[in-house]
Amino acid sequence: MATPFVVNIDPVALSLGPLQVHWYGLMYLGGFLGGWGLGEYRRRQGRLPVSADRFGDLMFYCMMGVVLGGRVGYMLFYTAISWIWTDPLALFRIWDGGMSFHGGLLGVVVAGIWWSRRNNVKFFDTIDFVAPLVPLGLGLGRLGNFINGELWGKPTDLPIGMIFPHAPDALPRHPNPLYEFALEGVVMFAVLWIFSLKPRRRYAVSGLFALMYGCFRFIIEFVRVPDAQLGYLAFGWVTMGQVLSLPLIALGILWLAMSRRAPYAPLAPVAATPATAT
């Protein structure tokens, strides 16, 4: 029997004196820059009727929504609510760890509403445009979790089992971050990118995103160890991640149903490429 891989990777990518650059931070940066580049490519194809500067504003607002929403969501969903009156500054101690995808998603929604109103763009046209870009950051973020040796799964005797030194024992466990990287990152990006290559009816891309993420996250939670401070919420298997994913599944189904009678998202005219003298 092969020796299980030990997840003991240095989380620090680069040290410059007292300054340390962590892989997790680089993953976030890569997700933002990659999403920005792919989004600009789609904008040039006419998928969003705004200038490059206004698109840059959208990406900046989304970035702030991910960070602020992710942190606030973690503090509200995954910690005892007493921090509000006993230690309110804990909200700002991001270096202590703790980010929630569902909170970050709500942050992006708020950013999308704000930007759409300011630029006279239909909200769902904005969200349908952004949705295929999100899995890139999701996947890279899960790689960051894996490098940090966190979010481990339940013990397993499958060949893919890995040992997480920070876990309470030395048993091989499901490498949950890699499962989420594969499903929430690679699979969702491929499906959403291909699906959105052609013009789709309003709500369709957002609906597919919500349905896929909700289902993938709900299923993966069965082999993921819940946060120690919460444990299982009911029946010895229901986790907070599953509870938060159920509304996404319901919204995904609803939006896909609504898209059947919705108009196609408008395409902006693409500037013709000037002819080159020969």
Side-chain angles (χ1 to χ4, degrees), residues 3-65:
T3 302
F5 177 78
V6 178
V7 186
N8 191 20
I9 306 171
D10 188 351
V12 178
L14 180 65
S15 295
L16 300 172
L19 177 64
Q20 292 185 331
V21 180
H22 289 250
W23 284 111
Y24 191 70
L26 291 178
M27 295 299 171
Y28 262 82
L29 179 62
F32 288 133
L33 293 179
W36 198 312
L38 291 175
E40 174 62 14
Y41 170 77
R42 298 188 75 219
R43 187 196 70 82
R44 289 172 179 260
Q45 291 184 319
R47 297 305 181 92
L48 194 67
V50 296
S51 66
D53 288 342
R54 292 183 183 273
F55 167 69
D57 291 341
L58 172 61
M59 290 294 98
F60 176 75
Y61 294 154
C62 287
M63 178 180 67
M64 296 302 296

Side-chain angles (χ1 to χ4, degrees), residues 49-254:
V50 296
S51 66
D53 288 342
R54 292 183 183 273
F55 167 69
D57 291 341
L58 172 61
M59 290 294 98
F60 176 75
Y61 294 154
C62 287
M63 178 180 67
M64 296 302 296
V66 168
V67 175
L68 297 178
R71 181 59 178 171
V72 173
Y74 177 82
M75 296 300 293
L76 292 177
F77 301 146
Y78 292 96
T79 64
I81 200 66
S82 58
W83 66 268
I84 295 178
W85 55 86
T86 60
D87 187 19
L89 293 180
L91 177 65
F92 305 100
R93 292 200 291 269
I94 298 177
W95 53 86
D96 288 343
M99 296 287 283
S100 163
F101 164 78
H102 296 90
L105 181 61
L106 288 175
V108 170
V109 168
V110 171
I113 293 173
W114 171 260
W115 181 90
S116 298
R117 288 182 175 179
R118 288 173 59 92
N119 291 275
N120 197 29
V121 177
K122 293 287 187 181
F123 168 68
F124 268 96
D125 291 345
T126 301
I127 297 302
D128 284 345
F129 175 86
V130 171
L133 312 178
V134 175
L136 180 62
L138 269 175
L140 290 176
R142 294 313 183 191
L143 281 183
N145 293 138
F146 179 73
I147 292 173
N148 286 344
E150 57 194 10
L151 304 185
W152 53 79
K154 297 178 180 178
T156 179
D157 55 3
L158 294 175
I160 198 173
M162 299 181 184
I163 296 176
F164 290 78
H166 303 303
D169 51 51
L171 296 174
R173 293 174 172 272
H174 285 283
N176 254 66
L178 294 186
Y179 297 162
E180 296 189 64
F181 163 74
L183 293 178
E184 300 169 8
V186 177
V187 173
M188 282 187 60
F189 176 78
V191 171
L192 288 170
W193 187 264
I194 294 172
F195 181 74
S196 62
L197 285 177
K198 296 181 179 180
R200 299 293 177 180
R201 295 182 184 274
R202 191 170 291 149
Y203 309 113
V205 180
S206 298
L208 184 59
F209 172 92
L211 180 60
M212 290 180 66
Y213 181 86
C215 289
F216 287 159
R217 180 67 182 269
F218 192 93
I219 293 171
I220 290 173
E221 288 284 320
F222 281 113
V223 295
R224 175 175 168 178
V225 175
D227 293 70
Q229 69 273 20
L230 290 180
Y232 292 107
L233 303 185
F235 312 119
W237 59 269
V238 178
T239 68
M240 178 60 78
Q242 289 175 320
V243 170
L244 295 175
S245 294
L246 286 175
L248 282 178
I249 295 174
L251 283 174
I253 295 173
L254 174 63

